[in-house]
Amino acid sequence: MNDSYLKSNDLTVQQLRWFCQVYELGSFAAAARQSGYAPPTLWEQVRKLEKKYGEKLFDRKGRNIQPTHAADLLYKTFVPVLATLDSSFERARELTGPTRTVLNIVTGMRMMLEELAPILIDYQKGNPHVELRLQHGDDKTARSLIVADQADLGLTLEPGPSIDADPVVIQRAYDLKYLAVFPARHPLAKKAQISLKDLVRYPLVVGSHGTQSRMVLDQSLHREELLDRRNIAIETTNSAITVACVRAGAGVGVMAGLANSPLTHGLKTHSLAESLGHAHVVFVTKKGRQLTNTIRGLMKVINAGMDK
């Protein structure tokens, strides 16, 4: 019997959970309030983990604590382990057949308005035992809710490299085109194709700094040496707000979406795929979680609905 087995055999699920709570909340007091145990109890369990691993896990910074590199490593390791254990109960319940189930989904406002609403309605008609609860959020919010077990499935635009910092799994769902959106009487409406040089001649309504659509736009403008010529009128946090600003006459919107959708009814849309490529919508789930047949079934329905 090797030494690593002896060390891991002494660990308890409660120890791992308490450590993760302290790590996520950044405070023994906050973790104690969440768990219902006294701070010294949690502190003692973390001390036992430090002794087992031979590494310091938290440094004190005044009244706050700062996780060490060892704590970062253990957190990324423990979260999937706990997710696997927790989800095993859901998987076991499915063995008896369909049961009343609640699915919490987090997605963007535009996705709900344009493509997901009819698909989810059809899904629920065929699965009356499933109650769908929908939440609005961008990719960062979705990842946060997924990790905190406040959402079962996220649907967002594919995030950037920072996703590596989160214990989540990303799977491709479907693709969208990047679009230019403007009023029907806008000068761009007369053009068969729109280039980035055309876009920078007008005020733009774009995603806020750090969003995937904004990064794609800025990188493309930079490649064509047009970045300094852009004229950003308004930055928004979601495409539904972008469309509202375009309707109000604020400028030309740049967003990922569906052409000729209900959201952009009465406006003109032109594909920017040649300049910006395609946006990828992804499923987000918690790393380590065993997906139930209900979640897998919903993912398949969304894939099939968008392939039509």
Side-chain angles (χ1 to χ4, degrees):
M1 189 177 296
N2 61 45
D3 186 53
S4 63
Y5 173 79
L6 290 173
K7 289 180 179 178
S8 62
N9 198 41
D10 290 337
L11 295 175
T12 68
V13 172
Q14 193 64 71
Q15 277 181 323
L16 308 190
R17 201 176 301 279
W18 281 339
F19 163 79
C20 289
Q21 288 175 330
V22 172
Y23 182 97
E24 291 168 355
L25 298 174
S27 163
F28 282 97
R33 287 193 296 271
Q34 186 180 84
S35 65
Y37 287 83
T41 300
L42 274 64
W43 182 84
E44 180 61 28
Q45 294 305 314
V46 170
R47 286 285 296 156
K48 288 182 178 180
L49 284 178
E50 290 180 329
K51 186 175 180 180
K52 288 181 186 296
Y53 283 95
E55 296 285 346
K56 192 172 184 180
L57 299 179
F58 296 100
D59 291 321
R60 287 203 171 274
K61 301 289 184 180
R63 294 184 177 181
N64 300 318
I65 57 173
Q66 183 72 32
T68 64
H69 291 307
D72 293 337
L73 174 64
L74 291 186
Y75 178 75
K76 292 178 182 179
T77 303
F78 291 164
V79 167
V81 172
L82 292 172
T84 299
L85 290 172
D86 291 340
S87 59
S88 66
F89 294 96
E90 298 174 324
R91 294 284 287 154
R93 281 196 296 269
E94 285 192 326
L95 296 176
T96 61
T99 58
R100 186 68 181 173
T101 303
V102 176
L103 279 187
N104 292 284
I105 303 169
V106 56
T107 188
M109 186 66 70
R110 187 212 58 78
M111 293 181 197
M112 180 53 59
L113 292 173
E114 287 199 331
E115 58 254 29
L116 292 182
I119 294 175
L120 295 180
I121 290 172
D122 286 343
Y123 171 81
Q124 197 163 44
K125 287 179 180 178
N127 298 270
H129 63 286
V130 180
E131 177 184 340
L132 299 177
R133 295 180 181 174
L134 308 177
Q135 304 177 68
H136 165 254
D138 59 13
D139 60 323
K140 292 182 181 179
T141 301
R143 297 199 303 270
S144 176
L145 292 174
I146 292 291
V147 173
D149 294 320
Q150 295 176 21
D152 302 298
L153 180 67
L155 270 160
T156 73
L157 289 181
E158 186 174 37
S162 62
I163 191 66
D164 293 337
D166 294 314
V168 296
V169 175
I170 300 296
Q171 298 180 60
R172 184 72 60 84
Y174 55 89
D175 291 343
L176 295 169
K177 290 181 179 179
Y178 281 105
L179 304 171
V181 185
F182 41 84
R185 295 185 178 182
H186 194 278
L188 289 177
K190 299 178 181 179
K191 287 184 167 289
Q193 290 186 326
I194 296 176
S195 67
L196 294 182
K197 288 183 179 180
D198 295 322
L199 277 184
V200 297
R201 295 173 56 196
Y202 302 97
L204 299 177
V205 182
V206 299
S208 57
H209 185 73
T211 60
Q212 185 66 10
S213 61
R214 177 65 175 275
M215 287 190 289
V216 169
L217 175 63
D218 286 353
Q219 289 169 1
S220 299
L221 291 173
H222 178 73
R223 282 196 300 269
E224 296 194 20
E225 299 182 349
L226 296 171
L227 191 59
D228 293 338
R229 293 171 56 185
R230 68 182 181 182
N231 176 13
I232 296 178
I234 296 179
E235 296 182 342
T236 73
T237 56
N238 69 66
S239 299
I241 298 177
T242 297
V243 172
C245 292
V246 172
R247 289 190 187 279
V252 176
V254 178
M255 54 179 265
L258 300 175
N260 304 317
S261 72
L263 182 63
T264 56
H265 179 72
L267 299 172
K268 287 288 187 179
T269 61
H270 270 264
S271 172
L272 296 174
E274 187 172 330
S275 299
L276 304 184
H278 289 76
H280 308 301
V281 177
V282 296
F283 295 118
V284 185
T285 55
K286 191 171 185 177
K287 186 176 291 185
R289 179 175 183 174
Q290 301 179 62
L291 299 185
T292 61
N293 292 332
T294 301
I295 295 176
R296 292 182 185 277
L298 177 57
M299 292 167 67
K300 288 181 179 179
V301 168
I302 292 173
N303 283 141
M306 292 307 299
D307 285 341
K308 291 180 180 179

